[in-house]
Amino acid sequence: MPNKKGKYDSRNKLNNLTGKEWLKLTKSFWESESCKLDKKAFDHPAPFLVKDVQKLIKMFTKKELTVLDPFCGSGTTLLAAGLINRNAIGIDLNEKYKKLAIERLEEQNISSELYKYIIGDSLNLLKDFDHKVDYIVTSPPYHNILKNKGQGIRKENDNYRNGARTGVDYYTDRNEDLGNQDTYEDFLKELKKIFRECYKILEYDKYMTVIMSDFTVNKKEVCVQGDVVKLMEDLGFKFAGTTVLLQNKKPLYPFGYPYAYKINHHHQNLMNFRKRDY
Ligand SMILES: C[S@@+](CC[C@H](N)C(=O)[O-])C[C@H]1O[C@@H](n2cnc3c(N)ncnc32)[C@H](O)[C@@H]1O
């Protein structure tokens, strides 16, 4: 009987997927998928969804390897990794998010041996890291958009992810918080410093995924993806392609109507990079 999941190739040094499963994940778009494990994460203003990040971890690691998220927030990366038997390290400035993450992890009985959540500034902490990691997946603050637009907390409704935001909730008031940089250029400069440390501690030949959408700066649309790819290539990473994560359930806003075209961002860019010399 042929195996429905496909066949595992013993030459596969990257992951535990069969050829069929691998191929499916190379598609350049995925539909974002929610599940009940996401619900608690919305006590954080901008979490990943477990299933989305889990697909990345499945693609870029084998079981028992180590994943790092230097902007770990509600701990989704740790949870997604722990559920499929990967080790994971998370860093965040905000103690409150660590508490939320630990609650989520304990609810799912993830062994505390599989994860470590460190509180502090990623730049300082990564400089002192004494071991390497096998995959990095992260979503940094989107410059100061939470503060600028006065929009942080998602609107309560029965369907917990509709994307609507009301009220103000931002990450921290600290200077090291990448959400608190005065200009977009300062934000990119600080982000680059942290990603330089990420490059150093990532094993050779391994991958890093940066999750961000484009956004507006001073009401002007910015191609954030272009800036991030350039920044990563300056550091030595090789660009391996972007998976577009479709967020089809978000509400549409008539931003420029009926005077000018203004885009509704209904996707995230999952920008994949590899640490490699050629
Ligand atoms: C977009 S959120 C990440 C959300 C996360 N992916 C999740 O699933 O909850 C960015 C996070 O970066 C943290 N942060 C900002 N600057 C930081 C820094 N210099 N070092 C560590 N964490 C930082 C913020 O506190 C915030 O939780």
Side-chain angles (χ1 to χ4, degrees):
M1 267 261 294
N3 182 353
K4 265 204 199 146
K5 283 180 155 185
K7 210 172 140 224
Y8 178 76
D9 187 323
S10 59
R11 292 169 301 173
N12 181 348
K13 298 269 184 289
L14 182 57
N15 55 43
N16 298 109
L17 301 175
T18 65
K20 204 168 163 183
E21 293 165 330
W22 172 310
L23 196 63
K24 222 171 136 191
L25 293 184
T26 60
K27 203 170 189 175
S28 63
F29 74 87
W30 299 345
E31 295 244 14
S32 184
E33 276 184 86
S34 60
C35 68
K36 62 180 189 316
L37 298 179
D38 300 317
K39 195 160 186 173
K40 238 189 182 157
F42 289 105
D43 288 349
H44 182 284
F48 291 150
L49 299 188
V50 173
K51 283 194 174 171
D52 297 338
V53 72
Q54 201 165 64
K55 280 187 200 149
L56 288 165
I57 295 171
K58 281 184 181 169
M59 183 70 223
F60 292 117
T61 59
K62 280 184 181 284
K63 283 184 186 146
E64 290 168 22
L65 292 183
T66 301
V67 181
L68 167 74
D69 184 345
F71 302 104
C72 184
S74 64
T76 311
T77 301
L78 308 187
L79 181 58
L83 289 168
I84 51 173
N85 201 21
R86 272 68 168 174
N87 300 293
I89 305 168
I91 303 175
D92 203 285
L93 283 171
N94 192 330
E95 186 85 45
K96 196 171 83 182
Y97 300 149
K98 175 173 179 177
K99 233 179 119 225
L100 170 63
I102 303 297
E103 267 175 41
R104 296 178 75 202
L105 288 151
E106 287 181 349
E107 259 177 33
Q108 296 310 313
N109 298 318
I110 306 292
S111 160
S112 59
E113 286 181 9
L114 281 179
Y115 62 85
K116 205 192 257 180
Y117 195 125
I118 312 170
I119 290 297
D121 171 27
S122 274
L123 182 59
N124 283 328
L125 289 167
L126 293 176
K127 276 184 181 160
D128 292 335
F129 247 52
D130 53 4
H131 54 276
K132 299 237 171 184
V133 298
D134 304 288
Y135 176 51
I136 301 174
V137 58
T138 200
S139 178
Y142 291 8
H143 179 34
N144 57 9
I145 63 166
L146 292 185
K147 279 193 156 172
N148 261 5
K149 294 184 180 164
Q151 299 170 349
I153 301 169
R154 279 169 205 277
K155 207 161 134 188
E156 286 291 326
N157 75 358
D158 298 340
N159 174 2
Y160 52 86
R161 182 152 213 176
N162 76 344
R165 293 165 185 273
T166 58
V168 181
D169 186 18
Y170 49 86
Y171 305 129
T172 72
D173 282 315
R174 294 176 54 165
N175 291 338
E176 308 95 309
D177 186 332
L178 291 198
N180 293 336
Q181 307 308 307
D182 285 340
T183 67
Y184 177 64
E185 289 67 32
D186 289 343
F187 161 75
L188 287 178
K189 213 165 89 191
E190 295 308 307
L191 184 66
K192 191 169 184 176
K193 287 186 196 163
I194 295 179
F195 285 174
R196 178 174 289 116
E197 299 309 315
C198 287
Y199 184 85
K200 288 186 201 156
I201 64 162
L202 182 64
E203 292 279 6
Y204 183 72
D205 243 6
K206 301 285 181 145
Y207 292 82
M208 172 161 170
T209 303
V210 182
I211 303 182
M212 290 183 86
S213 74
D214 292 332
F215 50 79
T216 56
V217 177
N218 301 327
K219 298 193 178 151
K220 211 175 140 277
E221 183 69 20
V222 173
C223 183
V224 178
Q225 176 174 208
D227 291 333
V228 171
V229 171
K230 167 146 191 349
L231 176 162
M232 295 294 276
E233 290 194 327
D234 285 351
L235 295 172
F237 283 102
K238 299 289 176 275
F239 180 51
T242 292
T243 309
V244 172
L245 183 71
L246 301 180
Q247 298 172 300
N248 219 4
K249 292 190 180 138
K250 282 171 80 174
L252 280 166
Y253 292 105
F255 296 121
Y257 181 80
Y259 305 107
Y261 169 74
K262 300 253 191 243
I263 201 158
N264 268 283
H265 294 114
H266 277 212
H267 76 275
Q268 300 285 320
N269 291 314
L270 315 184
M271 294 170 264
N272 302 306
F273 301 91
R274 191 175 189 186
K275 177 171 175 174
R276 208 167 158 78
D277 294 336
Y278 55 89

